[in-house]
């Protein structure tokens, strides 16, 4: 019997598991609908449009009594008693969890909220406070007899199915701070449960303590203490007509996730209207922190049976063997002290904390803690083992790889590996430590298939730099300033609307697309109006006629535009007629007597300086008669050719004219002409006569 007891304990331990499911995989941002297991808030702002889980299974096992080398243990000649390492204590524990995630899916309701519907089958076995020291003593005893002082222990096995609905929503998205929350409501169907609780239990086994007669003996079992035994109504049914028990209930999960997004602006695109789109296909956080409370709830087994037995008695091994099951043993060999119909099986309520640090867009490290909120002494409740995991990972849309390192209650340190490749996810939280260790106390594995439909990178079909979701003309290229649409020309004036100051009225390019106006209302359009702000006649290009002298007679009609006058006199000042002095013959003679004395350089037209005084006298006389006009005549003698004399006389007459003008005589009053030798006043045969003929005359023009 000792051998049977030890073998059963070991087999149970190697198939038992910790309560954590999919270790490593759930830290992946691409775990999709599966992530509602750890935190229902995860599916909001997901990297998926739709995620469909076809099937996934996660099985975990561990104990704190036996440790083995897995590679040796799978050999046919492996001796557990000799080779396995033992860690006996007065409080050894065993646990089992199988978590099957059936057909499930998630999708986005809108930009801020998501919905998931999932199916899940779960089973737990928890055996707590087994006296491993007593078991070890039995194992090391060479006698078949043993004394087992267990004290208190409890064990529970529970299996159930879940149909869950998760709603998650973005609660805050302000600059670098992002917060989302989620709630899962679960309908629970109990599949089966059983539990046993021992108090002050001792067992004394004497291998041949009972005489059967004829020299035959059998084992004798003496026990003390109390055993409580609860089970669902079909548990003791030996036939194969299993029916689901009348056992239902409700459960809930609640979670929140905060993300710190210092570079949040890099993940938002905006158009000219101010509409924005946040990139759904990218992770945006530097740090993500999650907190969740899972498995709040219970299943009521309405027809379940709870019984309490006083097991203080001595029975033979044959008596035990003659009973069909545990129920028969307890009811027929021991004393029933109380019983009742119906009990509640509590879910393994747990608190989860998760922190994820992003080193880059591909490399992350995750810290996760799972803490059971259910006491081991609660007889009708399953519970998880406390876990702390650190998981570095490489993550991309189609492939992720992670190496979780965990410290698990009752199992110690474990290192595993896992990957996700498109629709496949597979891994283990302990595979590396199990394969390399000589004292493995737990192992786990998970695998599954899904149909992932990822959030895509925003499209830009017309390649204009404006993504289609913000592009008002996604099939036509256009600038960002016009929300991705080409600039139009509503009024057809060839001036595009974005620079057309009058987009609804045709106008020339020169006036920025506006029709020419007439600001001053003078009927001259501004494009040709040289004075567009002041009214003026067409004849003057839209400008008012100027009046330079301010005499109210426009310059165009003013015969004296720079001198104020009267309208009656066409803008000129009224003139007072004064009788001009008359040039007498005596004055004429005086002028000519002066003029004849003007001397020139020989053969030239340059006036000699000795004549300056005479010229000043002539100027004084001319100024006395300001309205009189005079002709300056030049004459020569007969020396030289006629042509030369004509040219010289003309030059000398003009030289005198220039001198007079330069000294203030109005040029309008003077004329000059040369007569050469054609008008002598004396004979040219003598020097005296020639001297008289070489002369300048100034004569009044009548």
């Amino acid at each position: 019997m000792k051998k049977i007891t030890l073998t059963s304990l070991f087999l149970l331990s190697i198939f038992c598991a910790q309560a954590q499911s999919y270790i490593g995989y759930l830290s992946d941002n691409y775990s999709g609908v599966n992530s509602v297991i750890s935190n229902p808030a995860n599916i909001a702002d997901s990297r998926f449009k739709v995620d469909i889980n076809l099937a996934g299974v996660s099985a975990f096992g561990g104990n704190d009594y036996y440790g083995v080398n897995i590679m040796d243990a799978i050999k046919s000649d492996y001796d557990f008693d000799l080779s396995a390492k033992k860690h006996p204590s007065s409080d050894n524990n065993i646990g089992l969890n199988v978590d099957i995630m059936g057909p499930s899916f998630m999708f986005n309701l809108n930009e801020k909220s998501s919905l998931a519907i999932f199916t899940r089958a779960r089973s737990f076995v928890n055996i707590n406070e087994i006296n491993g020291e007593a078991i070890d003593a039995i194992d090391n005893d060479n006698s078949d007899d043993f004394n087992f002082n267990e004290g208190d222990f409890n064990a529970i096995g529970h299996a159930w199915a879940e149909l869950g609905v998760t709603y998650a929503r973005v609660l805050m998205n302000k600059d670098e701070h992002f917060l989302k929350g989620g709630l899962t409501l679960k309908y629970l169907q109990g599949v089966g449960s059983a539990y046993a609780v021992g108090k002050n239990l001792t067992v004394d086994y004497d291998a041949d303590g009972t005489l059967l007669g004829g020299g035959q003996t059998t084992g004798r079992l003496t026990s003390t203490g109390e055993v409580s035994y609860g089970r669902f109504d079909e548990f003791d049914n030996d036939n194969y007509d299993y029916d689901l028990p009348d056992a239902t209930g409700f459960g809930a999960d609640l979670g929140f996730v905060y993300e710190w997004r210092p570079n949040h602006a890099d993940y938002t695109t905006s158009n000219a209207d101010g509409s924005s789109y946040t990139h759904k296909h990218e992770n945006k956080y530097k740090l993500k922190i999650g907190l969740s409370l899972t498995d709040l709830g219970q299943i009521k087994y309405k027809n379940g049976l709870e019984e309490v037995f006083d097991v203080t008695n001595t029975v033979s091994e044959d008596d035990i063997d003659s009973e069909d099951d545990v129920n028969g043993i307890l009811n027929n060999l021991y004393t029933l002290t109380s019983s009742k119909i119906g009990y509640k099986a509590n879910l393994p309520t747990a608190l989860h904390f998760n922190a994820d640090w992003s080193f880059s867009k591909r490399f992350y490290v995750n810290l996760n803690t799972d803490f059971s909120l259910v006491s081991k002494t609660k007889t009708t409740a399953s519970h998880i083992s406390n876990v702390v995991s650190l998981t570095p990972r490489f993550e991309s849309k189609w492939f992720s790889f992670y190496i979780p390192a965990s410290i698990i209650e009752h199992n110690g340190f474990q290192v595993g590996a896992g990957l996700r490749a498109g629709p496949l996810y597979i891994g283990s939280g302990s595979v590396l430590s199990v394969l390399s260790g000589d004292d493995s106390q737990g192992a786990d594995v998970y695998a599954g298939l899904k149909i992932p439909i990822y959030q895509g990178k925003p499209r830009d079909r017309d390649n204009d730099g404006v993504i289609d979701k913000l592009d008002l003309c996604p099939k036509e290229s256009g600038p960002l300033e016009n929300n991705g649409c080409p600039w139009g020309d509503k009024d057809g004036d060839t001036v595009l609307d974005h620079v057309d100051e009058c987009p609804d009225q045709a106008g020339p390019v020169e006036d920025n697309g506006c029709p020419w106006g007439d600001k001053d209302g003078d009927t001259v359009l501004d494009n040709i109006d040289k004075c567009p702000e002041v009214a003026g006649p067409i004849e003057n290009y839209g400008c008012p006629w100027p009046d330079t002298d301010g005499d109210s007679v426009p310059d165009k009609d003013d015969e004296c535009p720079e001198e104020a006058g009267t309208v009656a006199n066409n803008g000129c000042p009224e003139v007072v007629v004064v009788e001009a002095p008359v040039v007498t013959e005596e004055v004429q003679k005086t002028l000519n007597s002066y003029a004849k004395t003007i001397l020139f350089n020989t053969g030239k037209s340059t006036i000699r300086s000795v004549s300056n005084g005479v010229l000043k006298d002539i100027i004084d006389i001319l100024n006395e008669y300001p309205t009189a006009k005079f002709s300056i005549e030049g004459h020569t003698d007969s020396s030289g050719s006629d042509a030369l004399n004509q040219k010289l006389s003309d030059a000398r007459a003009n030289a005198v004219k220039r001198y007079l003008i330069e000294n203030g005589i109005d040029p309008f009053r003077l004329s000059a002409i040369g007569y050469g030798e054609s008008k002598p006043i004396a004979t040219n045969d003598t020097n005296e006569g020639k001297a008289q003929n070489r002369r300048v005359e100034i004569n009044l023009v009548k």
Side-chain angles (χ1 to χ4, degrees):
M1 184 166 178
K2 178 175 70 172
K3 185 173 183 180
I4 293 173
T5 302
L6 296 174
T7 302
S8 299
L9 177 62
F10 176 75
L11 291 176
L12 184 61
S13 71
I14 63 172
F15 286 105
C16 289
Q18 304 310 307
Q20 287 66 35
S21 301
Y22 308 97
I23 292 179
Y25 175 55
L26 296 184
S27 66
D28 193 339
N29 287 300
Y30 292 91
S31 57
V33 67
N34 299 68
S35 66
V36 298
I37 292 174
S38 61
N39 191 327
N42 282 331
I43 61 172
D45 190 45
S46 170
R47 304 289 77 79
F48 294 90
K49 290 182 178 178
V50 177
D51 185 42
I52 302 171
N53 184 75
L54 300 176
V57 59
S58 176
F60 296 72
N63 75 104
D64 58 359
Y65 182 80
Y66 270 120
V68 298
N69 183 310
I70 294 294
M71 300 306 293
D72 293 337
I74 61 177
K75 298 176 182 178
S76 59
D77 59 347
Y78 186 77
D79 189 326
F80 288 100
D81 286 338
L82 297 177
S83 301
K85 295 183 179 180
K86 300 176 184 178
H87 305 276
S89 73
S90 61
D91 181 18
N92 284 116
N93 300 270
I94 303 169
L96 167 67
N97 171 32
V98 177
D99 190 344
I100 299 173
M101 192 149 184
S104 308
F105 67 95
M106 64 144 288
F107 60 94
N108 299 306
L109 295 173
N110 52 46
E111 186 175 352
K112 289 189 175 182
S113 58
S114 301
L115 186 72
I117 299 176
F118 63 88
T119 59
R120 194 176 176 196
R122 304 170 69 184
S123 66
F124 275 76
V125 172
N126 295 116
I127 302 176
N128 305 309
E129 299 182 345
I130 299 295
N131 192 336
E133 292 175 345
I135 295 174
D136 186 55
I138 296 171
D139 191 29
N140 293 326
D141 192 349
N142 293 325
S143 171
D144 289 334
D145 300 336
F146 66 86
N147 183 275
F148 185 72
N149 182 9
E150 171 55 37
D152 296 341
F153 79 94
N154 66 78
I156 183 172
H158 189 197
W160 72 95
E162 298 178 354
L163 175 62
V165 177
T166 299
Y167 175 77
R169 180 176 178 81
V170 176
L171 303 177
M172 180 182 70
N173 186 4
K174 184 177 181 181
D175 299 328
E176 61 189 53
H177 302 295
F178 181 87
L179 179 67
K180 55 186 179 180
L183 174 67
T184 296
L185 297 178
K186 300 183 282 190
Y187 174 75
L188 310 172
Q189 172 62 58
V191 175
S193 70
Y195 70 88
V197 179
K199 293 184 179 180
N200 301 316
L201 185 63
T202 65
V203 178
D204 185 11
Y205 176 70
D206 186 347
D208 53 2
T210 301
L211 298 175
L212 296 177
Q216 298 294 319
T217 62
T218 186
R220 180 178 64 195
L221 196 71
T222 300
S223 59
T224 63
E226 180 183 275
V227 173
S228 299
Y229 177 40
R231 67 276 190 196
F232 74 108
D233 46 321
E234 292 283 326
F235 185 74
D236 295 319
N237 190 351
D238 290 334
N239 61 46
Y240 295 99
D241 296 328
Y242 170 79
D243 294 321
L244 281 175
D246 186 4
T248 58
F250 295 94
D253 302 335
L254 177 66
F256 297 92
V257 173
Y258 167 78
E259 294 183 5
W260 178 50
R261 300 175 170 183
N263 300 318
H264 62 95
D266 296 341
Y267 302 98
T268 300
T269 301
S270 300
N271 64 10
D273 290 341
S275 299
S276 61
Y277 173 78
T278 300
H279 297 180
K280 291 286 188 180
H281 68 292
E282 293 182 289
N283 293 324
K284 308 164 193 66
Y285 64 86
K286 188 70 176 177
L287 174 65
K288 178 173 70 174
I289 297 175
L291 186 67
S292 62
L293 190 64
T294 61
D295 289 323
L296 291 165
Q298 57 188 5
I299 299 173
K300 184 175 182 179
Y301 283 83
K302 296 179 181 179
N303 296 322
L305 178 62
E306 286 187 326
E307 296 177 319
V308 180
F309 296 90
D310 181 356
V311 295
T312 302
N313 198 7
T314 299
V315 298
S316 70
E317 191 170 347
D318 280 359
D319 292 335
I320 294 175
D321 290 341
S322 65
E323 299 296 335
D324 293 332
D325 50 34
V326 174
N327 184 43
I329 293 172
L330 290 173
N331 278 281
N332 295 327
L333 302 179
Y334 299 101
T335 303
L336 177 65
T337 60
S338 66
S339 70
K340 69 174 183 176
I341 301 298
Y343 63 88
K344 295 177 181 178
N346 293 86
L347 299 184
T349 307
L351 180 68
H352 310 273
F353 173 80
N354 186 280
D356 203 44
W357 180 263
S358 171
F359 288 99
S360 68
K361 287 187 176 182
R362 295 289 180 265
F363 293 95
Y364 301 78
V365 64
N366 183 272
L367 173 66
N368 182 75
T369 63
D370 302 307
F371 181 74
S372 174
L373 298 181
V374 178
S375 171
K376 292 181 184 179
T377 61
K378 190 170 180 63
T379 58
T380 59
S382 303
H383 65 84
I384 70 167
S385 296
N386 299 325
V387 176
V388 177
S389 298
L390 188 68
T391 305
R393 75 181 185 279
F394 169 84
E395 177 182 295
S396 66
K397 179 187 289 187
W398 289 101
F399 178 80
S400 293
F401 180 76
Y402 16 86
I403 303 177
S406 307
I407 298 176
I408 303 177
E409 184 183 15
H410 306 314
N411 296 116
F413 183 70
Q414 294 183 353
V415 181
L419 62 86
R420 174 185 55 84
L424 172 68
Y425 54 94
I426 186 170
S428 167
S430 57
V431 61
L432 298 181
S433 55
V434 164
L435 294 177
S436 62
D438 292 329
D439 190 16
S440 298
Q441 295 175 298
D444 73 281
V445 66
Y446 63 84
L449 285 173
K450 62 167 51 190
I451 301 174
I453 302 175
Y454 300 111
Q455 297 278 6
K457 184 177 181 181
R459 295 182 62 191
D460 181 12
R461 284 177 287 176
D462 54 15
N463 296 313
D464 59 2
V466 182
I467 62 175
D468 291 351
K469 290 184 178 293
L470 300 176
D471 197 330
L472 299 185
C473 302
K475 296 182 180 180
E476 293 182 88
S477 179
L480 174 64
E481 297 81 2
N482 200 36
N483 297 319
C485 289
W487 292 113
D489 182 14
K490 288 187 283 185
D491 55 16
D493 58 4
T494 74
V495 181
L496 297 181
D497 291 343
H498 71 293
V499 294
D500 195 332
E501 294 182 4
C502 303
D504 296 314
Q505 292 179 282
V509 175
E510 296 81 1
D511 199 33
N512 300 319
C514 289
W516 291 113
D518 182 14
K519 296 182 207 175
D520 53 16
D522 59 4
T523 74
V524 181
L525 296 180
D526 292 343
N527 63 314
I528 58 174
D529 194 332
K530 293 184 178 180
C531 303
E533 308 287 342
V534 183
I538 295 173
E539 296 82 2
N540 199 39
Y541 305 102
C543 290
W545 292 110
D547 180 13
T548 305
D549 54 15
D551 59 3
S552 74
V553 180
D555 288 354
K556 70 181 184 68
D557 299 321
D558 197 332
E559 294 181 1
C560 304
E562 296 183 357
E563 187 178 7
T566 65
V567 176
N569 199 36
N570 298 321
C572 290
E574 295 289 345
V575 179
V576 178
V577 179
V578 179
E579 288 291 336
V582 177
V583 179
T584 62
E585 289 185 7
E586 184 178 349
V587 171
Q588 180 68 68
K589 289 179 181 179
T590 302
L591 279 174
N592 279 326
S593 64
Y594 285 150
K596 291 176 181 178
T597 62
I598 297 172
L599 301 177
F600 297 90
N601 292 317
T602 303
K604 296 181 180 181
S605 62
T606 55
I607 299 173
R608 294 170 60 182
S609 59
V610 296
S611 301
N612 289 343
V614 173
L615 287 168
K616 181 178 180 308
D617 292 339
I618 292 173
I619 290 171
D620 290 340
I621 294 172
L622 294 180
N623 284 334
E624 292 179 7
Y625 304 93
T627 61
K629 296 182 179 181
F630 296 92
S631 172
I632 302 170
E633 301 173 356
H635 299 273
T636 67
D637 59 21
S638 61
S639 299
S641 67
D642 290 346
L644 179 61
N645 289 332
Q646 177 63 39
K647 182 178 179 180
L648 179 61
S649 65
D650 189 68
R652 285 179 174 178
N654 277 287
V656 174
K657 179 183 176 181
R658 278 195 304 275
Y659 185 93
L660 296 177
I661 292 171
E662 290 172 357
N663 287 272
I665 302 303
D666 187 350
F668 180 72
R669 298 172 57 198
L670 302 176
S671 61
I673 187 172
Y675 289 102
E677 61 183 68
S678 64
K679 291 185 176 184
I681 58 173
T683 182
N684 284 309
D685 293 334
T686 65
N687 289 332
E688 292 81 2
K690 288 181 179 182
Q692 293 180 43
N693 288 331
R694 295 190 299 273
R695 69 191 185 278
V696 173
E697 295 180 2
I698 300 176
N699 297 311
L700 177 67
V701 178
K702 297 180 180 180

